[in-house]
Amino acid sequence: MGELFTFFGLISHDKSFIYTTHMLLSAGIALILVRMAMSNLQMVPRGTQNIMEAYISGVLKMGTDVMGEEKARKYVALVATIGLFVGIANLIGIVPGFEAPTAFLEMPLTLALVVFIYYNYVGIKEQGVIKYFKHFMGPVWWLYWLMFPIEIVSHFSRLVSLSFRLFGNVKGDDMFLMVILMLAPWVLPLIPFALLTFMAFLQAFIFMMLTYVYLGGAVAVDDH
């Protein structure tokens, strides 16, 4: 099976170049959308401002269901930014001539590391080092020696879960699109494109939801 054609590939076929250019393109589109939404703020939102406010409200509602509105508001900026970035990066791969940067493991793994480091930092900041890591040991004292290493491994496995879930699904979607375009390049495959668009939004939603879940678990240690 041949390589996926990209416009940036006309400049260089180097993998790092393809990844970097598409990642920067995704970031640029995200910044432009935010800039457009904030350029002329109005009491009654219209256009891009209306879309972005609806998006932020949806992200906040998602976080409220996980950790309550007060705590969700503290982290809505992080989660909404990640979701916007991932969503745009996923959607780029649906456009013929472009490749989703999330189809390269570097981007999902970097985002997973950001979430992993941040939620542990927040947990330690909110609870203190001893109190935070104490909940890794579980409620039964004579099982501390067993539960602590299991919890440590479980937390590090979240890096794999976050990164490989996003990478694997988007990479699979890219390959699916390439096959469709190879088999029927003269026909616009509307149904596959609609399905891939849905999957792009779904993967961004899952990444945001898991980020909120991990943050909620880190700041709610007292509830265990």
Side-chain angles (χ1 to χ4, degrees), residues 2-212:
E3 292 184 357
L4 183 67
F5 166 81
T6 63
F7 293 113
F8 290 115
L10 296 174
I11 302 174
S12 173
H13 291 290
D14 181 69
K15 176 186 173 183
S16 298
F17 176 79
I18 298 295
Y19 161 67
T20 303
T21 49
H22 284 89
M23 185 269 293
L24 291 176
L25 177 61
S26 302
I29 294 174
L31 289 173
I32 290 171
L33 288 176
V34 173
R35 183 74 175 179
M36 289 172 60
M38 299 183 65
S39 61
N40 186 25
L41 295 177
Q42 299 176 346
M43 291 296 296
V44 180
R46 294 184 300 176
T48 309
Q49 180 187 346
N50 191 32
I51 295 173
M52 292 303 293
E53 287 193 8
Y55 169 67
I56 296 297
S57 297
V59 175
L60 180 59
K61 178 64 169 60
M62 180 195 308
T64 300
D65 293 340
V66 174
M67 59 171 62
E69 184 174 356
E70 183 179 353
K71 291 180 179 178
R73 284 186 179 276
K74 294 176 62 176
Y75 310 111
V76 68
L78 171 69
V79 179
T81 300
I82 290 176
L84 183 63
F85 188 27
V86 171
I88 292 172
N90 292 346
L91 289 172
I92 281 179
I94 302 172
V95 181
F98 296 93
E99 188 168 4
T102 40
F104 298 83
L105 184 57
E106 290 88 343
M107 181 173 169
L109 183 57
T110 300
L111 292 175
L113 281 168
V114 170
V115 172
F116 178 80
I117 293 171
Y118 186 72
Y119 86 73
N120 279 291
Y121 163 77
V122 168
I124 292 172
K125 182 180 177 181
E126 293 285 333
Q127 307 293 334
V129 177
I130 296 177
K131 195 172 183 180
Y132 179 68
F133 284 104
K134 185 178 179 181
H135 89 281
F136 284 30
M137 300 178 181
V140 183
W141 66 268
W142 53 273
L143 287 177
Y144 284 176
W145 64 274
L146 178 62
M147 294 303 300
F148 187 77
I150 291 177
E151 283 293 319
I152 292 294
V153 172
S154 174
H155 277 257
F156 274 101
S157 70
R158 293 176 178 180
L159 284 171
V160 178
S161 175
L162 275 177
S163 58
F164 277 88
R165 176 186 287 108
L166 179 58
F167 163 71
N169 281 282
V170 177
K171 189 67 174 178
D173 290 345
D174 274 5
M175 295 179 67
F176 173 69
L177 178 60
M178 182 167 62
V179 171
I180 290 294
L181 294 176
M182 288 176 62
L183 294 177
W186 60 90
V187 178
L188 181 62
L190 294 178
I191 294 179
F193 271 81
L195 177 61
L196 292 175
T197 300
F198 170 75
M199 291 300 296
F201 285 116
L202 178 63
Q203 293 307 315
F205 172 82
I206 292 174
F207 203 100
M208 288 190 292
M209 178 59 75
L210 289 176
T211 300
Y212 258 132

